[in-house]
């Protein structure tokens, strides 16, 4: 009898342990979030996009600012290698975020300091206007996350 009850007991203990975190996540819900991504590391880019998608899944409108080499994620010809465990690229995760209603912009310095033009960017990605981004960063209701 105890053998058959053990999985149920473990599941109940897990729920009791996770319960406060789930309630806390609901209590801390925000309407918007700003993710600033400038890392050239593919794993860092991937994790930033995974977290941005998770925030969008939880109802937040997520804005992404892509600077330096991270701006390459927004290129139509992004050639990154898929990463485990889901075999997706950070660029594909960015596109998924856009499909969820998120927004993405490249830093104002990205295009002028690269060989790329606005025509090279995927649909839905534009060039950031510093006053707009500064306003989001200064807004206490919009948490800013940097990677």
């Amino acid at each position: 009898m105890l053998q058959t009850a053990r999985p149920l007991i473990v599941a109940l203990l897990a729920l009791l342990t996770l319960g406060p975190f789930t309630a806390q996540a609901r209590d801390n819900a925000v309407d918007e979030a700003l993710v600033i991504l400038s890392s050239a590391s593919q794993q860092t880019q991937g994790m930033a996009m995974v977290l941005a998608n998770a925030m969008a899944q939880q109802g937040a409108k997520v804005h992404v600012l892509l600077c330096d080499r991270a701006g390459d994620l927004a290129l139509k010809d992004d050639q990154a290698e898929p990463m485990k465990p889901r075999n997706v690229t950070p660029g594909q995760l960015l596109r998924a975020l856009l499909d969820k209603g998120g927004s993405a912009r490249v830093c104002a310095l990205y295009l002028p300091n690269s060989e790329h033009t606005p025509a090279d960017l995927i649909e839905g990605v534009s060039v950031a206007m510093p006053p707009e981004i500064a306003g989001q960063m200064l807004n206490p209701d919009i948490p800013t996350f940097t990677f």
Side-chain angles (χ1 to χ4, degrees):
M1 170 96 171
L2 185 58
Q3 285 290 36
T4 57
R6 182 168 284 168
L8 180 60
I9 292 169
V10 170
L12 287 173
L13 286 173
L15 283 174
L16 289 172
T17 304
L18 293 176
F21 294 110
T22 334
Q24 183 180 15
R26 280 193 303 274
D27 292 343
N28 293 333
V30 297
D31 294 328
E32 294 184 67
L34 174 62
V35 173
I36 301 175
L37 178 55
S38 60
S39 175
S41 163
Q42 187 180 20
Q43 286 187 26
T44 301
Q45 292 173 354
M47 197 64 226
M49 291 297 96
V50 165
L51 292 171
N53 275 281
M55 286 186 276
Q57 197 87 25
Q58 293 180 28
K61 167 87 172 165
V62 181
H63 309 281
V64 177
L65 177 64
L66 301 166
C67 298
D68 204 2
R69 293 290 310 273
D72 295 350
L73 286 148
L75 297 174
K76 291 176 184 172
D77 69 348
D78 180 33
Q79 300 293 318
E81 289 291 318
M83 293 187 309
K84 296 177 183 179
R86 297 188 59 211
N87 293 318
V88 295
T89 68
Q92 289 170 326
L93 292 168
L94 173 65
R95 288 161 180 79
L97 178 67
L98 294 173
D99 289 343
K100 289 181 181 79
S103 69
R105 292 173 183 80
V106 293
C107 284
L109 298 176
Y110 176 74
L111 292 177
N113 291 288
S114 73
E115 68 278 0
H116 304 293
T117 69
D120 296 324
L121 300 175
I122 60 175
E123 186 176 333
V125 176
S126 60
V127 176
M129 296 292 116
E132 179 185 2
I133 298 298
Q136 290 176 329
M137 293 173 75
L138 291 172
N139 186 334
D141 294 328
I142 302 177
T144 299
F145 304 92
T146 59
F147 296 88

